[in-house]
Amino acid sequence: MSVIYNRVALIGLGLIASSMVHAMRRAGLAGEIVGTSRSAETRAIAREIGLCDHIAETAAEAADGADLVVLCVPVGAMGAVAAEIAPVLKAGATVSDVGSVKQAVIDAVAPHLPDTVHFVPAHPLAGTEQSGPRSGFAELFDNRWCLIVPGDADADAVARLRGLWEGMGSFVETMEADHHDLVLAVTSHTPHLIAYTMVGVADDLRRVTDSEVVKYSAAGFRDFTRIAASDPTMWRDVFLNNKEATLEILGRFTEELFALQRAIRQGDGDMLHDYFTHTRAIRRGIIEAGQDTDAPNFGRAPKKT
Ligand code: NAP
């Protein structure tokens, strides 16, 4: 594969950015990769492991002269980073992000950017519960969806970014921001909230000792604990910035939960059996679509045929 951007700047050097470095290098998609992170500690680790070609001290220094700047910080920090880099952005450059929420990021970032750059938001549906510059790996995006939210961005700039994500192994789909946020509230954000809640509930059960929770941790609970180990800052920002869609899905979830609670109380075995038969069919549909996965990730793309 050939170089798509001569100089790529990654602002934030966590799981997603470090995986992008490995995936871009694997396919030779970037001439030069410059990275930066807020803390001196993370910048030092990135230098130590040779993550990028150059580690800049500030976001503005990293973005200066870049053809593509990707914001890889928590959703709540995107606006401040955009404000910092705006004065140095090269005319014709593309600014993108990898945030798990799209409308709030667009609202926070777009007002800072000059008209001379292309803003093309994106969200790779791939992740693990790990974070930081050491956690990345080249295969993270392989056969996973990346959703691009082009709005009215320049078609060539969108096509180039699509090429980058496809080159990093992803399937790419375009989507409106509000639809993205609703879809992700169903497939990722609310399931994460439920996992956090369930782990919290188990922790509250004083009759079950800590060691029993660990020792007899069955598959369901074990999976919840893995999801609930995800980065607290990232997930705090996701819920604060995708409030409406998450509350809508949580409302529906609560109604279903009450219906099941009543069926259990009333001994309504038929209702429970019908419900579980229906959900089992949904699971079969996901497997047939090639979207089953053991990874803590709710967005693997269909298998290539
Ligand atoms: P991560 O591993 O936790 O790394 C976060 C990075 O952001 C670090 O470089 C950190 O800097 C920096 N940062 C944290 N707070 C900041 C602030 N207030 N201002 C400026 N920089 C700040 O994160 P990640 O998992 O790569 O997530 C990055 C983005 O990708 C998020 O927007 C998230 O929604 C999105 N995303 C995550 C996943 C996932 O599963 N993890 C999947 C898809 C998309 P220091 O280390 O120097 O403090």
Side-chain angles (χ1 to χ4, degrees):
M1 208 156 294
S2 55
V3 169
I4 297 180
Y5 297 98
N6 283 331
R7 184 176 157 116
V8 175
L10 301 174
I11 314 298
L13 291 173
L15 170 72
I16 300 298
S18 55
S19 295
M20 288 181 72
V21 173
H22 297 302
M24 284 191 280
R25 282 194 173 147
R26 180 182 65 178
L29 302 171
E32 184 192 14
I33 304 172
V34 181
T36 192
S37 194
R38 167 184 64 164
S39 71
E41 189 188 349
T42 301
R43 294 196 299 275
I45 294 171
R47 284 192 186 102
E48 185 192 322
I49 63 175
L51 185 63
C52 301
D53 298 307
H54 174 64
I55 299 296
E57 286 297 299
T58 65
E61 187 196 325
D64 197 358
D67 302 290
L68 172 70
V69 182
V70 189
L71 312 184
C72 304
V73 297
V75 167
M78 299 270 184
V81 172
E84 185 193 336
I85 63 170
V88 304
L89 290 170
K90 184 165 116 176
T94 293
V95 174
S96 187
D97 76 296
V98 293
S100 307
V101 177
K102 294 277 59 98
Q103 191 59 59
V105 169
I106 292 168
D107 292 345
V109 170
H112 297 291
L113 301 182
D115 294 342
T116 50
V117 304
H118 308 294
F119 180 35
V120 189
H123 177 202
L125 304 191
T128 75
E129 72 279 19
Q130 306 297 328
S131 45
R134 293 187 199 275
S135 59
F137 54 100
E139 298 77 22
L140 180 66
F141 309 115
D142 284 350
N143 298 333
R144 307 279 163 160
W145 286 108
C146 178
L147 302 178
I148 291 183
V149 178
D152 56 4
D154 174 72
D156 287 345
V158 176
R160 245 171 125 190
L161 191 73
R162 172 187 277 269
L164 182 84
W165 280 103
E166 287 176 348
M168 289 192 290
S170 291
F171 295 90
V172 175
E173 194 72 80
T174 56
M175 213 177 251
E176 298 284 326
D178 56 351
H179 189 64
H180 165 279
D181 291 351
L182 184 63
V183 169
L184 267 292
V186 177
T187 58
S188 172
H189 304 167
T190 308
H192 269 82
L193 197 71
I194 293 164
Y196 281 121
T197 314
M198 196 53 225
V199 174
V201 167
D203 194 42
D204 282 346
L205 280 179
R206 296 292 169 228
R207 281 180 299 155
V208 182
T209 66
D210 283 355
S211 62
E212 281 174 314
V213 168
V214 173
K215 186 173 170 186
Y216 303 122
S217 184
F221 185 68
R222 214 167 39 223
D223 288 347
F224 279 146
T225 60
R226 188 182 57 197
I227 295 168
S230 300
D231 185 68
T233 306
M234 171 191 151
W235 283 98
R236 176 202 63 191
D237 282 10
V238 166
F239 294 118
L240 294 181
N241 288 281
N242 197 17
K243 205 182 269 184
E244 212 174 294
T246 309
L247 290 177
E248 164 68 20
I249 302 306
L250 264 183
R252 289 168 187 247
F253 175 80
T254 312
E255 284 172 22
E256 298 282 308
L257 196 62
F258 279 145
L260 290 171
Q261 192 178 353
R262 190 169 50 243
I264 293 169
R265 193 188 310 285
Q266 294 174 346
D268 187 349
D270 289 345
M271 188 276 183
L272 293 173
H273 193 270
D274 288 351
Y275 199 96
F276 301 153
T277 303
H278 178 63
T279 54
R280 187 182 224 187
I282 292 171
R283 168 71 186 165
R284 286 200 181 118
I286 289 172
I287 293 170
E288 276 162 24
Q291 294 193 27
D292 60 307
T293 173
D294 289 335
N297 162 329
F298 298 92
R300 200 171 74 174
K303 284 170 186 157
K304 280 178 174 158
T305 51

